[in-house]
Amino acid sequence: MKKFSLAFLLTFALGATLAHGAVIPVTPGQDLQTVVNSANSGDELVLADGVYQSINVQNKNLTIRNLSGTPQINSIQFTNNTGKCFLKNIRITTN
């Protein structure tokens, strides 16, 4: 019984870990579009305070939030997203 319990616990822990996306820190010097393109659906992008270029989020569901301050994205477009994308404490402007 102990072997079964341990195997179940390890399987559950691994499954719970894999169900969550990665947390990806982003700084103003990085190309945000490149980060978005390389991210997987379910990932969380954490932006440091600063100004970021325009981005297009295609076919993936992301959370984009601030690390500090209120980061600014010049514009954002969502294309072919079937789930939910979340923006938290981000300023969106248009040029």
Side-chain angles (χ1 to χ4, degrees):
M1 183 69 171
K2 286 184 181 181
K3 287 183 181 181
F4 173 76
S5 297
L6 180 60
F8 176 76
L9 181 62
L10 291 174
T11 303
F12 178 76
L14 179 61
T17 302
L18 294 176
H20 297 287
V23 176
I24 304 168
V26 184
T27 60
Q30 288 180 274
D31 181 0
L32 184 56
Q33 186 64 58
T34 300
V35 175
V36 167
N37 293 346
S38 63
N40 294 311
S41 221
D43 286 353
E44 181 175 1
L45 308 183
V46 182
L47 280 56
D49 195 21
V51 178
Y52 298 85
Q53 74 279 8
S54 301
I55 58 171
N56 185 4
V57 180
Q58 295 183 18
N59 300 315
K60 56 184 77 176
N61 307 311
L62 300 174
T63 296
I64 303 173
R65 68 172 181 85
N66 73 319
L67 172 66
S68 61
T70 306
Q72 174 181 311
I73 300 175
N74 289 330
S75 71
I76 187 167
Q77 181 177 356
F78 298 94
T79 308
N80 297 325
N81 294 330
T82 57
K84 296 179 180 177
C85 291
F86 297 97
L87 300 174
K88 298 176 184 176
N89 298 321
I90 303 291
R91 177 180 296 153
I92 308 296
T93 61
T94 57
N95 296 343

